[in-house]
Amino acid sequence: MNSPRIGLRASCVVGFDGTRHVLWREGEVVLEGDRVAFVGRGYPGPVARWIDYGNALVSPGLIDLDALGDLDSTVLCLDNGDERAMGRLWSAEYLARGPRESYRFDEEVFKYRYAFTQLIRNGITTALPITSMYYREWAETYEEFAAVAGVAAELGLRTYLGPCYMSGMQYLDANGQLREHWDETRGLAGLDAAERFFRDFDGRHGGLIRGALLPDRIQTCTPALLERTVALSRELDAPVRLHCCQGRDEVALVKRLRGAAPLAWLERLGLLGPRALLPHGIHIEGEDDLARLADSGASLVHCPVVFARDGESLDSFGRYRARGINLALGTDTWPADLIDNMRQGLNIARIREGGSDRTRALDYYNAATLGGARALGRDDLGRLAPGAKADIAVFSLDGLHLGPLFDPLKNLILAGRGDDCIASWIDGRCVMENGQVKGVDYPSLQRQAQRQFQRLMESHAERAPGRPDWRRLFQPAIPYADAWGAEHPLVTRAGNPERQHENTPC
C-alpha cells in the first residue's frame, strides 16, 4: 500500500531544479513514505495531512561528515597552555602501564546518544561521526558500534558508521618529544572488525544505517593497513574517511616515515578517489596537491570553526572550489552547528582571499547539502526534489536575532544558529518537533553528560606526565576567587541536582 502523503508548507522552501537550489516563496513539500513527491506551489493531489510551519525556511537536511560523537573536550584545552602537559596526549609512563578506557561500555554508547541528539537539534540529518582515540584503550569496537547503530535508528538519524581502527598512537617520551607506538596486529584486527560491521549493518533499519571505513588519522596508519583499506573499499564500494593534512607535525612525520607528503603518499597507495573523504586539508603541498584532489574526485571535509580556534584556516575555500575540488562540511567540535560553521567559514575565506568575490554564502550552503551528498555518492540527499529522500530541516525565521528579512538563507547564515531549527524529518519520519527531539528527556540527558564529563576530566591525570591531581590540569578563563573553587572545579547545578534552586524572577 502507498504511504499517506504529508504536506509541509512554509513562507520559504528550498527546492532543487536538477542543477541547483531554487527558492520557492509560500512553498510546499509533499512527502510520500521516505521520499519527496513534490516541491513547489499548489500541489494538485490528495494529501492526508498538511503541516504549516508559517514564517520558516524548509531546507534539505544538512550533512555533517565530521560530526562530533564525543562529549567535546575542546573546552578543556582552550586557552589552557600546552596540551602535552595536561593529559590530552599519552605519556610514556601511561603507555608502559597500559592504556585503559576512560568510559564504561554504557558510557561510550551514551556519548553517541548525547551527540546524535545535538546533531538533530541543529538541523543535521546525515552524519558521519568522529571521536577521539586519546581517551580509549586503543580504538573502537564492533560491539560498541552495534549498540551505536541502535541509538541512531531509535533517534532516527541517518548515519554512516563503523568502528575506527589504527595501527599506532603517538605519545610523549620522558623529554616531552613525540614518538610513535606501533601495533600492526591490532590495527589489522580493527580493520577486520570494521569489515564485519559493514557486512552486518550496511543498509540496516531501512537504509538509515550505512557502513563506512574509518581509519583514524594518516599518521596512525601503516602502509599495510591503508592498502587493505583501499582493497576493501573497492570490494564493498564503501566510503573511506581519513584525517590528513591537518598539522605541521603530521606532515613532517609522514614525510619522514613514508618518503612523501600526505596526499602524494595516499595517491601512491590508491586511496585518493571518489570514495575518499578527507578532513581537513589545512596543510597541503601547493598546486600539486590541489591537482591531486581535483583529479582524483576525492572530497575535502572542511571544518572551519575547530581550526579557527587554534588560529588556522583553509587557504582557501574559494581557491579549492575554483579548482573543482568537491567541498563538504563538518563540525568536529562543540557546538554541532553547521550554520555557525558556514558563517565563520565564509568570514574566514574572505579574509584569506582578501575580498568577497571568490566565496559566497551559497557556496557554504551547497557544501553542507549538495557537497556532502556528492562525497557520499548520493544523488538522493542534500536536495528537495521528487524522488529524493525526505530528509528535511525546518528553520524558524521569526527570531528577533535574524533581523528584518530580505533573503532567508543569507539571514540564516549571517545571523542564525543551529537551534533555529524547529523541526526535522529524516527518511519521511518527523524526529524533532517544536525543537524537541522525540523520545529524549533533555534535562536528564544533560545531567548524565555532566556526570560523564567529570570522568573524562579525571582521566586526564592518568595520561599526563607525573600523574598530577586532575584538578590542577584545567585553568578557567576567570581565576577562582578562593581555594574552594580550585579544589572543586566545575561543580555545576546541571551536574549536581541537589544544588539546583528554583529560578528567581528578575
Side-chain angles (χ1 to χ4, degrees):
M1 295 180 62
N2 293 332
S3 301
R5 296 188 184 97
I6 299 173
L8 314 180
R9 290 191 177 111
S11 60
C12 301
V13 170
V14 177
F16 185 72
D17 69 1
T19 303
R20 61 181 182 175
H21 292 307
V22 292
L23 187 66
W24 287 91
R25 302 305 303 266
E26 302 301 329
E28 300 170 352
V29 180
V30 177
L31 316 181
E32 188 168 11
D34 65 350
R35 299 281 172 171
V36 175
F38 173 85
V39 181
R41 192 183 305 118
Y43 180 66
V47 173
R49 179 166 64 107
W50 281 101
I51 301 172
D52 194 334
Y53 288 110
N55 189 29
L57 178 72
V58 175
S59 165
L62 306 181
I63 299 173
D64 187 341
L65 296 186
D66 214 34
L68 188 72
D70 263 328
L71 304 184
D72 191 20
S73 59
T74 302
V75 66
L76 300 178
C77 304
L78 188 70
D79 296 341
N80 202 40
D82 189 352
E83 291 185 7
R84 303 182 183 202
M86 59 168 290
R88 170 75 168 166
L89 305 178
W90 290 7
S91 66
E93 55 199 278
Y94 175 72
L95 181 59
R97 289 195 307 271
R100 65 181 183 85
E101 299 287 0
S102 298
Y103 293 139
R104 303 186 306 265
F105 180 87
D106 61 304
E107 292 174 325
E108 288 290 351
V109 177
F110 170 82
K111 73 184 187 185
Y112 282 95
R113 179 178 296 278
Y114 185 80
F116 289 173
T117 299
Q118 303 292 347
L119 294 169
I120 294 171
R121 183 68 189 85
N122 283 274
I124 293 161
T125 57
T126 297
L128 206 173
I130 174 70
T131 66
S132 173
M133 297 301 104
Y134 290 124
Y135 304 100
R136 306 302 305 263
E137 177 186 348
W138 188 252
E140 294 166 334
T141 69
Y142 173 93
E143 291 76 17
E144 175 188 335
F145 268 76
V148 171
V151 171
E154 176 192 336
L155 294 175
L157 181 65
R158 188 180 303 283
T159 50
Y160 280 72
L161 298 176
C164 174
Y165 53 91
M166 61 190 188
S167 313
M169 175 63 84
Q170 289 185 290
Y171 69 96
L172 294 171
D173 67 15
N175 297 317
Q177 300 299 309
L178 278 174
R179 298 286 184 253
E180 299 80 49
H181 168 71
W182 299 105
D183 191 334
E184 183 79 281
T185 300
R186 208 166 189 179
L188 294 174
L191 177 58
D192 289 342
E195 178 182 0
R196 178 185 168 202
F197 179 87
F198 190 100
R199 295 187 186 280
D200 288 351
F201 283 90
D202 184 53
R204 290 278 289 270
H205 299 288
L208 203 63
I209 307 300
R210 299 294 301 273
L213 299 178
L214 307 174
D216 176 40
R217 291 163 293 155
I218 191 171
Q219 68 267 41
T220 64
C221 295
T222 58
L225 188 66
L226 290 184
E227 286 168 356
R228 288 184 59 174
T229 295
V230 170
L232 187 59
S233 171
R234 290 172 178 165
E235 177 185 344
L236 301 175
D237 191 25
V240 177
R241 186 187 63 194
L242 179 66
H243 287 68
C244 65
C245 306
Q246 60 178 333
R248 292 183 179 86
D249 288 344
E250 168 225 305
V251 173
L253 178 61
V254 173
K255 285 182 176 180
R256 175 169 63 83
L257 293 177
R258 314 304 174 203
L263 291 183
W265 184 49
L266 295 183
E267 183 180 53
R268 185 190 305 165
L269 292 171
L271 192 146
L272 290 187
R275 301 303 273 154
L277 289 71
L278 306 175
H280 295 273
I282 300 292
H283 298 276
I284 69 166
E285 301 287 299
E287 294 298 320
D288 287 345
D289 273 356
L290 288 178
R292 285 187 176 93
L293 287 171
D295 294 345
S296 69
S299 296
L300 189 143
V301 182
H302 179 37
C303 306
V305 169
V306 69
F307 277 91
R309 288 176 179 168
D310 284 331
E312 294 190 288
S313 63
L314 195 69
D315 185 25
S316 65
F317 188 94
R319 178 184 173 211
Y320 282 45
R321 196 178 67 84
R323 289 298 302 265
I325 296 166
N326 183 52
L327 288 153
L329 289 188
T331 49
D332 197 21
T333 188
W334 181 267
D337 188 345
L338 277 181
I339 301 295
D340 184 39
N341 275 267
M342 291 182 217
R343 175 169 52 254
Q344 293 201 42
L346 177 65
N347 293 339
I348 292 164
R350 290 181 168 184
I351 291 170
R352 293 300 301 258
E353 293 158 10
S356 59
D357 295 337
R358 297 185 70 177
T359 302
R360 304 167 299 162
L362 179 60
D363 297 329
Y364 268 87
Y365 182 73
N366 284 340
T369 53
L370 300 173
R374 180 180 174 188
L376 294 172
R378 301 285 297 264
D379 60 6
D380 59 347
L381 299 179
R383 71 209 69 198
L384 297 183
K389 282 289 187 179
D391 289 7
I392 296 168
V394 182
F395 294 93
S396 172
L397 299 176
D398 281 333
L400 189 64
H401 59 280
L402 292 173
L405 294 174
F406 157 67
D407 178 322
L409 189 60
K410 289 180 182 177
N411 279 78
L412 191 63
I413 292 175
L414 294 180
R417 51 187 184 245
D419 65 4
D420 286 318
C421 186
I422 55 173
S424 181
W425 295 74
I426 304 176
D427 218 38
R429 170 191 171 195
C430 183
V431 301
M432 182 177 74
E433 195 170 29
N434 297 320
Q436 175 64 52
V437 178
K438 294 188 174 182
V440 178
D441 180 339
Y442 286 1
S444 295
L445 191 79
Q446 188 68 9
R447 285 194 294 270
Q448 173 62 28
Q450 187 66 45
R451 288 192 293 267
Q452 200 161 308
F453 200 67
Q454 179 74 29
R455 185 186 293 268
L456 181 71
M457 288 190 293
E458 293 172 3
S459 77
H460 274 249
E462 292 291 317
R463 293 182 297 276
R467 301 176 75 176
D469 188 324
W470 69 271
R471 297 171 182 84
R472 308 301 179 198
L473 293 176
F474 312 111
Q475 300 302 317
I478 299 173
Y480 294 115
D482 54 25
W484 186 90
E487 290 299 319
H488 304 277
L490 299 176
V491 175
T492 68
R493 293 177 182 176
N496 189 350
E498 281 121 19
R499 299 186 68 235
Q500 292 186 19
H501 301 150
E502 292 185 3
N503 293 329
T504 302
C506 295

